Amino acid sequence: MGKHQSVSVRQISRNRAEQVAYYRFLENENVTVGELIRSLSDHCILQVERKHVLAISDTSEINLQSHVGRLKAEGLGVVGNNTDVGFYIHPTLILDAENGFPLGISTVQLWTRDINHADKHERKYQKLPIFEKESYKWLRSATDTQQCLSAGDAKVVTHIADRESDLYEEFATVPNQNNHVLVRARQDRRLAGQTQSLYTYLNQQSSEGTYTVDVPADPRLGRTAREALLIVRRAVVKIQRPDKLNSQDYPASVTLYAVEAVEVNSPKGQEPIHWRLLTTHQVVCLEQALCVIRWYTWRWQIEQLFATLKTAGLNLEATQLESIAAIQRLTVLALSVAVQILQLIQGRDNPDLPATIAFSDEQQQCLSAIAPTIDGKTRLQQNPYPPHSLSWATWIIARLGGWSGYRSQKPPGIITLVRGLYQFESTFLGWKLALGLLVCTP
């Protein structure tokens, strides 16, 4: 398959014969999920040399309940409500720590839960060692990402996640000279050598200053987009090992830097932002605290990745494939497209980024050939960006997706860029055939 494919088999096929070929590819047991994930990792390795990068992990479900009548029984599992069928994905999105630009995917985990998961969770889960729990996904992601990015000679890796990854095991095992953690606290932990708990101790610290962040809308939480003013506090804390953990396996305490960001004057009816962040990065001044907060705010990009993967863009859950194994293969392929969409969105107005981030040399040659045919007659409808910049390429893809080209109009979004990439992929294949660059085998 090509470097950049759309998620729908119908969309990426120009005719019925190609649809059949793609279905056979995805249903082929010799095409393993592991091989497809390694392909994602290999591409990511090329982007991280000598960079400080942010490795952002999170989990989402692929809900296939609407297809339950035709899905093959093998591999079926339940998702969040323990009733609907589907599976889980847990990717790690890599960003440039300097500007938050998405560079690729370092690793992906996929799994299913059996129908008795809820009962097992109630009776036994808390007593299991971490490597037998589903929450081990956080440590595994960190380990796999370290291996991937060390091969790419990344300078520093900061592993970022939301409250679910607030695990003492992660604080104790993941950090080293080149790897840091940054996690939003979920529990009010005991502090070694202190009578107060983490939350109380943080709240007692004096304010370091204020910080303004743009909060994206989230309909699930009833949250509207807004600019939030945050009061910032910081402290050095020594987290005490939980009693349930073996002293032979984990140290008695770990030293972390805590940053608290609390929203003041939140809109009526909106829950105020209240982040308590724990990190191994040194935070001894306001500037360092603000840097940590900025890195954490970029975590929203993995939420946008999931939105792009689903109904907001690629509509993965509407696939007509019939086996879980094939849908999982399609999911990994779709992740590469979703990352490219994120790159195009961020590259819309940044002419300093090269098109090579998202397009091969051959694809750029094809974009150059297309460019004159989609320029408008007036200057306002002509591509204003330097050739072979990511902004230049994004402008072309957006025009192919139906965007007007006027900068006064709303910038192209996910749906427009998905349509544009689909159109470009078809054009690119035709262009290669016309130039004799595509070798067809019987």
Side-chain angles (χ1 to χ4, degrees), residues 134-270:
E134 194 171 284
S135 53
Y136 184 65
K137 62 190 177 184
W138 303 104
L139 278 70
R140 181 181 169 188
S141 289
T143 299
D144 292 349
T145 294
Q146 287 178 19
Q147 294 176 351
C148 170
L149 300 185
S150 63
D153 199 25
K155 186 178 180 180
V156 178
V157 182
T158 298
H159 302 269
I160 300 178
D162 209 355
R163 289 176 290 183
E164 191 184 345
S165 72
D166 178 6
L167 303 167
Y168 189 88
E169 295 92 331
E170 181 164 7
F171 299 138
T173 61
V174 171
N176 57 35
Q177 183 177 356
N178 298 317
N179 287 267
H180 289 270
V181 295
L182 170 54
V183 171
R184 184 181 174 191
R186 178 179 59 177
Q187 49 190 309
D188 192 9
R189 293 184 175 275
R190 292 180 297 169
L191 300 182
Q194 296 282 349
T195 57
Q196 307 103 317
S197 64
L198 171 64
Y199 292 178
T200 301
Y201 183 69
L202 257 179
N203 190 58
Q204 291 175 348
Q205 306 306 305
S206 59
S207 171
E208 292 280 327
T210 59
Y211 184 57
T212 301
V213 298
D214 290 323
V215 181
D218 190 335
R220 298 170 303 171
L221 304 176
R223 186 178 70 197
T224 57
R226 66 181 186 271
E227 186 178 74
L229 179 64
L230 309 177
I231 291 176
V232 179
R233 301 184 181 96
R234 65 170 181 84
V236 182
V237 295
K238 187 175 287 188
I239 302 295
Q240 188 170 320
R241 182 185 62 233
D243 293 337
K244 65 180 180 179
L245 296 182
N246 193 319
S247 61
Q248 295 180 340
D249 297 328
Y250 300 100
S253 63
V254 292
T255 299
L256 300 170
Y257 294 85
V259 176
E260 184 175 51
V262 185
E263 185 178 8
V264 295
N265 299 324
S266 60
K268 185 177 180 180
Q270 299 282 305

Side-chain angles (χ1 to χ4, degrees), residues 352-402:
D352 295 330
L353 293 170
T356 51
I357 292 173
F359 297 95
S360 68
D361 290 343
E362 277 191 345
Q363 288 172 324
Q364 289 182 66
Q365 292 175 35
C366 181
L367 286 169
S368 295
I370 294 171
T373 68
I374 57 175
D375 271 340
K377 295 182 179 180
T378 67
R379 183 179 59 82
L380 293 177
Q381 274 193 307
Q382 294 176 355
N383 196 328
Y385 299 107
H388 302 286
S389 66
L390 188 57
S391 300
W392 166 83
T394 301
W395 192 92
I396 296 172
I397 296 299
R399 289 283 283 146
L400 291 173

Side-chain angles (χ1 to χ4, degrees), residues 36 56 69 129 186 202 238 251 278 304 308 322 364 393 397 428:
L36 296 174
I56 302 176
R186 178 179 59 177
L202 257 179
K238 187 175 287 188
L278 297 172
Q304 191 175 23
T308 304
E322 296 180 353
Q364 289 182 66
I397 296 299
F428 180 56

